């Protein structure tokens, strides 16, 4: 809404200027815009208007999904089920979430220091813990990089290299966990496409980080499509910081951190599923469900994996004998507890 107001304000301001010194006709105004590569109507870029409309459509879809969940889910039963969790289960969830947050904070500080940035371990950890407040929002993972700028001589674009290597390590670790879970559950061979794609994405990202030539080639490919054009970085020195992190030792350490946090998330799923359902999940089933749902969210090109992870988790639990309604309760409970934490 703020962006749309800015566009309308630009349009009205341009209209006033065009009356004094602009082209005299609409045809002149359109032709004047084509010289700069964009078709404009009274100073307003059509590309900018389409961008605003896409955002409005995205938020409309998100609101529709929320309304659909509110209508279909019996929240009184859900609240009663969550409130009925034993105190031991709630205590275990708090302990697991705390351990996971501390490990992720240490991992973030490790990435910043491995990138040769002037920041202490304490400041690196606190920037991540403070940035958790926006982790539930699309693009909220950028906030720790912004907060790192408040300490020492660190710039946001330099700290963003930690997000780059974090995505790489997470993709490898989650793909490994998903692959191990599929092997343990003896899934059909076609299911292994998801972790294979995850390994392929991680290998491409590593090649981009280590080679400037590959970085430029992939950048040119992404710039061809409007959907992927926004993924490109406009900072020239980002590749230098990313290359400093794309070392075997840093990536291996990051994969170790990510594997531990992924297994902790699987333990959270195990705890909640066995507390809210009669059938429950075994430890191996929890690792399988969480790993596959997370790797699906990384592989399928949806911003922030919105809806992919939750729907995959509920569908996989349903395939293992848990009813759809109870599976939805488990997913909602995990997201609610994580958001509140």
């Amino acid at each position: 809404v703020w962006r749309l107001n800015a566009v309308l304000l630009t349009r009205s301001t341009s209209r006033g200027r065009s009356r004094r010194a602009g082209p005299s006709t609409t045809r002149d105004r359109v032709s004047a815009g084509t010289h700069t590569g964009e078709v404009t109507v009274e100073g307003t870029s059509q590309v900018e208007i389409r961008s605003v409309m896409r955002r409005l459509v995205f938020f409309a879809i998100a609101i529709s999904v929320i309304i659909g969940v509110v209508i279909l889910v019996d929240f009184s039963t859900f609240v009663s089920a969550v409130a009925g969790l034993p105190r031991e289960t709630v205590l275990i969830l708090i302990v697991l979430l705390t351990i996971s947050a501390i490990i992720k904070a240490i991992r973030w500080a490790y990435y910043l220091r491995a990138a040769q940035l002037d920041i202490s371990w304490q400041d690196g950890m606190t920037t991540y813990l403070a940035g958790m407040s926006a982790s539930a929002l699309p693009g909220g993972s950028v906030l720790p990089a912004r907060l790192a700028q408040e300490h020492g001589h660190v710039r946001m674009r330099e700290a963003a290299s930690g997000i780059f290597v974090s995505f790489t390590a997470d993709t490898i670790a989650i793909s490994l966990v998903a692959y191990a879970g599929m092997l343990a559950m003896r899934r059909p061979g076609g299911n292994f496409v998801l972790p294979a794609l995850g390994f392929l994405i991680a290998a491409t990202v590593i090649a981009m980080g280590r080679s400037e030539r590959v970085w430029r080639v992939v950048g040119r490919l992404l710039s061809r499509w409007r959907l992927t054009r926004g993924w490109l970085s406009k900072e020239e020195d980002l590749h230098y910081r990313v290359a400093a992190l794309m070392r075997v030792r840093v990536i291996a350490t990051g994969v170790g951190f990510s594997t531990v946090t992924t297994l902790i998330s699987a333990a959270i799923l195990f705890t909640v599923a066995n507390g809210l359902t009669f059938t429950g999940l075994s430890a191996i089933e929890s690792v399988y469900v969480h790993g596959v749902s997370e790797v699906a969210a990384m592989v399928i090109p949806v911003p922030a994996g919105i809806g992919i992870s939750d729907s995959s988790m509920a569908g996989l639990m349903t395939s293992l004998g848990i009813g759809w309604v109870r599976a939805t309760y488990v997913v909602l409970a995990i997201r609610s507890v994580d958001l509140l934490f």
Side-chain angles (χ1 to χ4, degrees):
V1 173
W2 173 86
R3 188 66 176 173
L4 183 59
N5 289 334
V7 171
L8 295 177
L9 179 61
T10 303
R11 180 175 181 178
S12 60
T13 304
S14 176
R15 181 183 303 171
R17 293 177 179 175
S18 63
R19 291 176 179 175
R20 296 189 300 269
S24 58
T25 64
T26 303
R27 179 179 300 177
D28 294 334
R29 287 191 293 270
V30 173
S31 62
T34 57
H35 290 296
T36 62
E38 295 181 355
V39 178
T40 61
V41 178
E42 295 184 352
T44 303
S45 170
Q46 292 184 4
V47 176
E48 191 171 5
I49 294 177
R50 286 197 297 267
S51 177
V52 174
M53 294 306 298
R54 284 197 301 269
R55 290 187 178 95
L56 291 178
V57 171
F58 174 78
F59 284 114
I61 294 175
I63 293 174
S64 300
V65 172
I66 295 174
I67 293 175
V69 171
V70 172
I71 294 176
L72 296 177
V73 176
D74 186 0
F75 278 93
S76 60
T77 305
F78 167 68
V79 173
S80 300
V82 174
L85 285 174
R87 294 181 179 179
E88 295 80 6
T89 301
V90 177
L91 180 60
I92 292 174
L93 289 177
I94 295 176
V95 171
L96 290 175
L97 288 170
T98 303
I99 295 175
S100 178
I102 293 175
I103 293 176
K104 290 179 180 179
I106 295 175
R107 178 185 62 180
W108 174 251
Y110 171 76
Y111 288 150
L112 295 182
R113 293 180 62 84
Q116 303 175 359
L117 298 179
D118 184 16
I119 190 170
S120 65
W121 282 95
Q122 180 180 354
D123 291 338
M125 292 177 64
T126 53
T127 55
Y128 180 85
L129 294 175
M132 288 178 63
S133 59
S135 60
L137 302 176
S141 59
V142 182
L143 183 57
R146 173 61 184 84
L147 294 176
Q149 187 171 277
E150 304 298 327
H151 301 282
H153 304 285
V154 180
R155 296 181 179 180
M156 179 178 176
R157 64 174 181 268
E158 296 174 337
S161 59
I163 301 175
F164 197 92
V165 71
S166 178
F167 171 79
T168 305
D170 285 345
T171 304
I172 296 175
I174 292 174
S175 299
L176 284 173
V177 171
Y179 189 84
M182 289 180 179
L183 286 177
M185 295 294 294
R186 298 181 179 181
R187 296 289 97 180
N191 293 347
F192 291 88
V193 173
L194 282 177
L197 290 176
F199 290 129
L200 179 61
I201 293 174
T204 304
V205 174
I206 293 174
M208 287 179 59
R210 297 180 64 90
S211 173
E212 186 175 356
R213 179 180 299 178
V214 177
W215 181 281
R216 293 178 179 177
V217 170
V218 175
R220 286 195 297 267
L221 291 175
L222 294 178
S223 63
R224 293 183 179 181
W225 297 281
R226 186 183 303 169
L227 177 63
T228 58
R229 196 172 296 142
W231 300 353
L232 299 175
S233 174
K234 299 179 178 58
E235 305 296 343
E236 297 180 355
D237 58 344
L238 176 61
H239 182 261
Y240 171 77
R241 295 295 178 181
V242 171
L245 291 173
M246 287 301 167
R247 304 193 303 269
V248 176
R249 180 180 179 182
V250 176
I251 295 176
T253 304
V255 170
F257 278 124
S258 299
T259 302
V260 173
T261 56
T262 302
L263 294 177
I264 291 176
S265 298
I268 293 174
L269 173 61
F270 172 82
T271 303
V272 176
N274 286 276
L276 292 180
T277 64
F278 298 103
T279 305
L281 294 173
S282 64
I284 296 178
E285 290 174 341
S286 300
V287 172
Y288 163 71
V289 170
H290 179 76
V292 174
S293 60
E294 289 297 320
V295 76
M298 286 189 166
V299 170
I300 298 177
V302 175
I306 297 176
I308 302 298
S309 177
D310 297 338
S311 59
S312 300
M313 187 178 296
L316 290 171
M317 284 190 288
T318 302
S319 67
L320 295 175
I322 297 178
W324 173 257
V325 175
R326 283 288 174 176
T328 305
Y329 287 169
V330 172
V331 174
L332 291 176
I334 291 176
R335 297 307 177 194
S336 301
V337 172
D338 183 67
L339 181 61
L340 290 173
F341 181 81

